Amino acid sequence: MTLTAEFERVALPLEHAFTIARGTTATAENVVVRIRDGDGNTGVGAAAPSAHYGETVGTVEAVLPDLLSVVERVGDPHALARIEDGMRAVVNHNPAARAAVSIALHDLAAKRAGLPLYEYWGLDPADSLTSSFTIGIDDMEAVREKTREAVDAGYTTLKVKLGTERDERILATVRDEAPDATIRVDANEAWSPLEAVRKIETAADYDVEFVEQPVAAENYEGLEFVHERAALPIAADESCVTAADVPRIADRVDIANLKLMKTGGLREAKRLIHTARAHGLEVMCGCMIESDAAIAAACHLAPLLDYVDLDGSLLLADDPYRGVPMDGGYVDLEGLDRPGTGAIEE
């Protein structure tokens, strides 16, 4: 079989500037990968690199020729293990770049089988979940307005970004505008351990479900300190990159949060899920600010998860791709009427 591949950089303006504890984003840049077979099928994936993990669109573009040469040499999209082993042999890091290729390969393999990806994997779409919708850090009136818009759009689960001196005011504003919503909190490493314990106790007064990454990623002792004293469950994001990190966090958190752009692909994502389960953890799948060219693939993991945070494409002003239906945040795998990941260019 002959496979050919190409990639391109795309700029994706956001509907609103998006702020977390580490900074503000107004435009996200992704790199879209397309892999074609000789029968007219095209697999689509995308990289959403994060400088926090040492990647940029420039580094993605620099390594993709080497990664795609492995794909073309193997020439079989169903040989996923062989290709991903080959990619790690030539590019050991750069997980977002490898994830883009992994997504495109899975999309192509499932299309060749004539099945949506969840069915290709043998998963039950009835076990899908509802994604949270993120409220970024902003001035109080903007937080109020964004929360109101999210509720009016039917989102029932909100993730609130914190990490400022106004954390309680932000949380109170969101709860005031969304009295019936499930609320989760993400500090993105912003707090010290002592500060985290205090702020989590306050968050509990607002009926928060859990708190994500309260302290610095490498501060495992601090994470343990918080976990032992926190009034709410704790999720690890930046502290949990691949399956190899799970044993280190297993007794220090309640939830492992994976992202395809951290794991380097769908196969490693599934390994992380199973490793976390073996260590007694719940599992969530999150995302960067991504096109549906990438988000669509993550949606198919939903039946394996406890929580999903897959709103990256929902934050965009205009996504060139359409993926799995997500009305009100529900990942509607049963409503997907096409094979592969479901990502198609509009």
Side-chain angles (χ1 to χ4, degrees):
M1 186 188 306
T2 299
L3 298 180
T4 58
E6 63 183 23
F7 61 89
E8 67 170 330
R9 182 188 300 204
V10 294
L12 303 169
L14 276 64
E15 185 73 28
H16 305 286
F18 183 72
T19 300
I20 64 172
R22 287 195 294 269
T24 300
T25 301
T27 300
E29 287 192 302
N30 286 193
V31 180
V32 175
V33 171
R34 300 180 188 88
I35 301 174
R36 297 184 174 89
D37 64 12
D39 299 321
N41 300 298
T42 301
V44 176
S50 169
H52 187 70
Y53 297 102
E55 282 187 281
T56 65
V57 288
T59 64
V60 169
E61 291 174 321
V63 301
L64 274 174
D66 289 335
L67 296 175
L68 293 173
S69 70
V70 175
V71 173
E72 293 173 347
R73 182 175 70 250
V74 173
D76 181 358
H78 300 283
L80 294 165
R82 192 188 322 161
I83 291 174
E84 293 196 11
D85 287 347
M87 289 197 297
R88 278 193 298 272
V90 298
V91 178
N92 190 37
H93 300 292
N94 301 86
R98 288 187 287 113
V101 180
S102 171
I103 293 167
L105 283 168
H106 280 79
D107 186 34
L108 179 57
K111 281 176 176 171
R112 288 177 56 84
L115 300 171
L117 184 57
Y118 72 80
E119 191 172 352
Y120 185 73
W121 282 339
L123 302 181
D124 186 349
D127 292 333
S128 194
L129 300 166
T130 296
S131 173
S132 54
F133 184 87
T134 305
I135 307 297
I137 296 171
D138 215 321
D139 64 73
M140 302 315 302
E141 187 51 42
V143 168
R144 186 177 298 280
E145 181 180 348
K146 291 175 182 177
T147 303
R148 189 180 303 123
E149 289 176 358
V151 171
D152 289 346
Y155 296 105
T156 58
T157 302
L158 304 177
K159 182 162 90 167
V160 182
K161 295 287 189 177
L162 299 181
T164 76
E165 296 178 354
R166 301 175 288 113
D167 283 349
E168 185 174 2
R169 289 180 61 203
I170 291 171
L171 195 51
T173 299
V174 173
R175 177 53 78 198
D176 183 56
E177 289 296 323
D180 300 321
T182 297
I183 293 179
R184 301 165 184 168
V185 160
D186 186 1
N188 286 113
E189 309 180 76
W191 300 331
S192 71
L194 282 172
E195 183 183 21
V197 172
R198 291 195 300 269
K199 292 207 171 190
I200 292 169
E201 186 173 356
T202 299
D205 293 335
Y206 294 92
D207 195 23
V208 167
E209 186 176 26
F210 61 79
V211 176
E212 190 177 337
Q213 200 63 49
V215 300
E218 68 279 2
N219 189 357
Y220 296 102
E221 290 74 18
L223 198 61
E224 184 174 13
F225 178 91
V226 174
H227 183 242
E228 289 176 348
R229 295 163 177 82
L232 296 169
I234 303 298
D237 179 3
E238 287 87 345
S239 296
C240 183
V241 178
T242 66
D245 295 312
V246 171
R248 193 180 334 189
I249 64 165
D251 295 327
R252 294 173 165 136
V253 298
D254 305 283
I255 304 161
N257 183 18
L258 70 95
K259 292 185 174 79
L260 296 185
M261 300 302 142
K262 294 188 302 181
T263 63
L266 287 156
R267 285 170 53 78
E268 178 64 18
K270 291 169 76 176
R271 276 191 288 268
L272 193 155
I273 292 168
H274 298 313
T275 304
R277 294 279 187 225
H279 282 82
L281 296 176
E282 293 187 304
V283 192
M284 175 167 66
C285 182
C287 61
M288 307 301 184
I289 300 177
E290 305 170 17
S291 165
D292 262 324
I295 292 286
C299 287
H300 291 261
L301 293 169
L304 296 172
L305 303 166
D306 299 287
Y307 313 98
V308 290
D309 175 32
L310 296 175
D311 65 340
S313 63
L314 303 176
L315 302 175
L316 301 176
D318 184 30
D319 188 348
Y321 285 84
R322 176 162 53 92
V324 177
M326 291 182 63
D327 186 29
Y330 178 69
V331 181
D332 188 8
L333 295 174
E334 291 180 293
L336 186 62
D337 59 359
R338 49 193 178 272
T341 65
I344 55 172
E345 197 160 4
E346 295 276 43

